[in-house]
Amino acid sequence: MGTRSRNSSASAVPDRSGRAAARRAVRTSPLSALASDLPASVVVFLVALPLCVGVAVASGVPAELGLITGIVGGLVTGLLPGSSLQVSGPAAGLTVLVAEAVRAYGLPALGLIVVATGLLQLLLGVLRLGGWFRAISLSVVEGMLAGIGLVIIAGQLYAMADRPAPATGLGKLTGLPSLAYGLVSSPTARTAFILGTAVIVVIVAWQFLPNKARLVPGALVAVGLAVGARALLDLPVATVEVSGLLQAVAVPDFAGLISLPLAGLAGTVLAFTLIASAESLFSAAAIDRLHTGPGTDFDKELIAQGAGNTLSGLLGALPLTAVIVRSAANVQAGARTKTSRVLHGTWLLLFALLLPGVLAMIPVAALAGVLVHAGFKLLPLKHLAPLWRKQRGEALILAATAVSILAIGMFEGVLVGLGLSVAKTAWDTSHVKVETVDSGPQELTVKISGNATFLRLPKLLDSLDALPAHRPIRLDMTGLRHRDHACTMALLAWAERHRGQGVTLVQLTPSV
């Protein structure tokens, strides 16, 4: 089991000298590295700020908890070894799961769930199982993210209109006509929705500006403009509720664990662990391809994520994971060491301590617009058509996972995707070829090759039953690489039924 991820050997050879130079530069020029890391940390802070607040609000928890999670992701996870340049914090990908957990068990139980998630990640990292998360089918991961994106979009459309969203994914979809009617009939809902839509337009348009202008993230600019528009025009829209950083901290009540449904809680913890770990390690693999520095040690990265989640849970905050948007911004801004992500956590802490009142000025509709845009970015729109042309089975797994998450729930949808992925793999690997060779008028040789499993048993028996009757048959199994118990017993039973026909078995025994 490989536990360290590097760029593929084909791509690593030409870059070897560049990697070595980068490592020497980091070791011998700390001031030069700081000169790059400091401005990069400011860029990441500006990207992270609206997302931290937006994810918390969308999850149904106080906005300060999103900032606390981002601070822990920078100051704790950022200090630990693993991936040197990826940035951790609250992620849109966990919004749906957190909202479901808070709705099912209450906000006080969230810290318990996040602590358990962190401890489980620590255990998996210590056992050196980080590499196994890379074995999850990419179609399942993309389907999971697509399902999350759809639920986020559907739910945040209500928040853009200052309306409460239905609890279930299907409820969000079926409630859209009612939402549309509310936009027509309610001027305040319409005003809020227009404001949220304007935020999305600004974020999308910002991508087409020159690089120098885009040093300030579009999401931050859009939220800032929304704050200004609300203040200048005195818009009747809801704003973020603020209670204070220290007041938002809630140490979990471990004694109350006894009163919670442990079976459901365990399933939620497993879902948190699976999704947070997979997202972090896939993000690390992607970020490794964007820079020439040291690659990620996946086990150490899993330990770092576990330590961050344990502390975040002890503070009653959100689960954290590596976030590809912030990590890519960190690399593109020129970061060279982990200092940039630690400093980004420092800036979040200073903002939360010195400027908490700014949060109360942010319209909820503006944050909802940021998350609707983030939800669309989770949809694999560019990859779906090529995947359908080349691997229709994988495309169906992706779509089934996304639809199941939207229709049933997060954990159940991921299980559906994993089950379909395993079933497809079993089907693809169980190919059986039945070839008939006429050995003369006295005997017919039937050669069976490939992998004989129960999935192909009906086809195999149909082929054997279609053989000509009243003629000796030599059944040659020397080409079978594998046969399971079901096929072994079925072939023996078929041979026994046709013994009077003169069937001869070659290389078949009752053992599997």
Side-chain angles (χ1 to χ4, degrees):
M1 177 177 63
T3 58
R4 177 175 284 274
S5 171
R6 298 284 184 185
N7 288 345
S8 63
S9 57
S11 61
V13 170
D15 291 334
R16 191 170 295 162
S17 61
R19 284 182 180 272
R23 293 187 187 114
R24 285 196 302 271
V26 170
R27 285 196 292 265
T28 58
S29 307
L31 290 178
S32 174
L34 182 60
S36 300
D37 291 333
L38 183 59
S41 71
V42 176
V43 171
V44 178
F45 159 71
L46 296 176
V47 171
L49 180 59
L51 288 174
C52 286
V53 179
V55 167
V57 173
S59 301
V61 304
E64 291 87 351
L65 293 183
L67 292 175
I68 291 172
T69 307
I71 293 166
V72 173
L75 298 183
V76 177
T77 305
L79 276 173
L80 296 175
S83 173
S84 58
L85 295 181
Q86 79 169 353
V87 182
S88 299
L94 290 173
T95 301
V96 177
L97 202 57
V98 173
E100 290 180 358
V102 171
R103 184 167 54 250
Y105 308 111
L107 182 57
L110 179 61
L112 295 173
I113 295 171
V114 178
V115 168
T117 298
L119 293 176
L120 186 54
Q121 286 180 312
L122 285 170
L123 177 62
L124 294 174
V126 170
L127 295 177
R128 303 183 68 81
L129 297 178
W132 282 98
F133 282 91
R134 290 178 291 164
I136 299 175
S137 167
L138 184 60
S139 296
V140 175
V141 175
E142 289 189 337
M144 175 189 73
L145 294 176
I148 292 169
L150 291 173
V151 176
I152 289 174
I153 293 168
Q156 293 308 302
L157 288 175
Y158 293 87
M160 282 175 58
D162 285 344
R163 296 290 179 91
T168 64
L170 281 179
K172 292 178 176 67
L173 289 180
T174 57
L176 290 178
S178 176
L179 175 64
Y181 175 77
L183 293 177
V184 174
S185 60
S186 172
T188 56
R190 189 163 57 248
T191 300
F193 196 84
I194 292 173
L195 186 65
T197 304
V199 166
I200 298 173
V201 171
V202 170
I203 295 174
V204 173
W206 202 256
Q207 304 173 59
F208 300 100
L209 294 181
N211 291 336
K212 290 184 178 180
R214 287 190 285 117
L215 288 176
V216 180
L220 186 68
V221 173
V223 172
L225 291 174
V227 171
R230 175 193 164 274
L232 290 174
L233 303 176
D234 194 23
L235 300 178
V237 296
T239 57
V240 175
E241 296 182 6
V242 177
S243 60
L245 190 67
L246 296 180
Q247 289 78 5
V249 173
V251 178
D253 179 15
F254 291 95
L257 188 62
I258 303 175
S259 62
L260 295 173
L262 296 184
L265 208 64
T268 301
V269 170
L270 287 175
F272 270 60
T273 304
L274 172 65
I275 295 166
S277 302
E279 189 170 347
S280 293
L281 299 184
F282 274 97
S283 171
I287 293 302
D288 279 351
R289 294 192 289 269
L290 299 181
H291 67 89
T292 57
T296 299
D297 184 314
F298 283 89
D299 295 316
K300 290 182 179 178
E301 178 62 22
L302 197 54
I303 291 173
Q305 296 294 327
N309 272 316
T310 302
L311 180 56
S312 185
L314 289 174
L315 296 173
L318 299 168
L320 61 84
T321 181
V323 186
I324 187 67
V325 174
R326 287 168 232 178
S327 304
N330 190 38
V331 174
Q332 293 164 0
R336 296 172 62 180
T337 71
K338 65 177 66 175
T339 302
S340 61
R341 58 187 192 178
V342 175
L343 285 175
H344 121 274
T346 304
W347 308 143
L348 285 174
L349 177 61
L350 291 175
F351 174 86
L353 292 176
L354 301 178
L355 300 170
V358 174
L359 296 179
M361 301 168 60
I362 301 176
V364 172
L367 294 177
V370 171
L371 287 175
V372 167
H373 179 261
F376 270 107
K377 293 180 71 174
L378 292 176
L379 304 181
L381 300 177
K382 294 181 179 179
H383 304 141
L384 194 55
L387 187 63
W388 177 255
R389 289 193 296 267
K390 297 178 182 178
Q391 295 283 343
R392 291 196 174 182
E394 295 295 331
L396 290 174
I397 291 173
L398 189 158
T401 304
V403 171
S404 298
I405 289 174
L406 181 62
I408 308 172
M410 186 71 203
F411 188 50
E412 295 84 355
V414 172
L415 290 181
V416 167
L418 291 174
L420 290 175
S421 180
V422 171
K424 178 181 178 297
T425 301
W427 180 262
D428 289 344
T429 56
S430 62
H431 287 290
V432 176
K433 182 179 180 182
V434 180
E435 183 181 7
T436 303
V437 179
D438 199 335
S439 306
Q442 300 301 320
E443 187 178 63
L444 188 67
T445 298
V446 179
K447 296 182 178 181
I448 303 179
S449 58
N451 298 300
T453 70
F454 70 95
L455 294 172
R456 303 286 181 170
L457 186 55
K459 178 183 177 181
L460 177 59
L461 292 178
D462 287 343
S463 299
L464 294 177
D465 289 337
L467 294 173
H470 310 298
R471 188 174 180 184
I473 296 174
R474 182 174 181 268
L475 212 54
D476 187 353
M477 306 291 174
T478 55
L480 272 180
R481 294 188 297 272
H482 169 76
R483 64 182 184 275
D484 64 10
H485 181 70
C487 281
T488 299
M489 301 311 296
L491 289 170
L492 287 172
W494 185 89
E496 182 65 26
R497 288 197 309 272
H498 295 79
R499 177 176 298 188
Q501 187 180 336
V503 171
T504 302
L505 298 179
V506 180
Q507 291 294 316
L508 180 65
T509 62
S511 62
V512 177

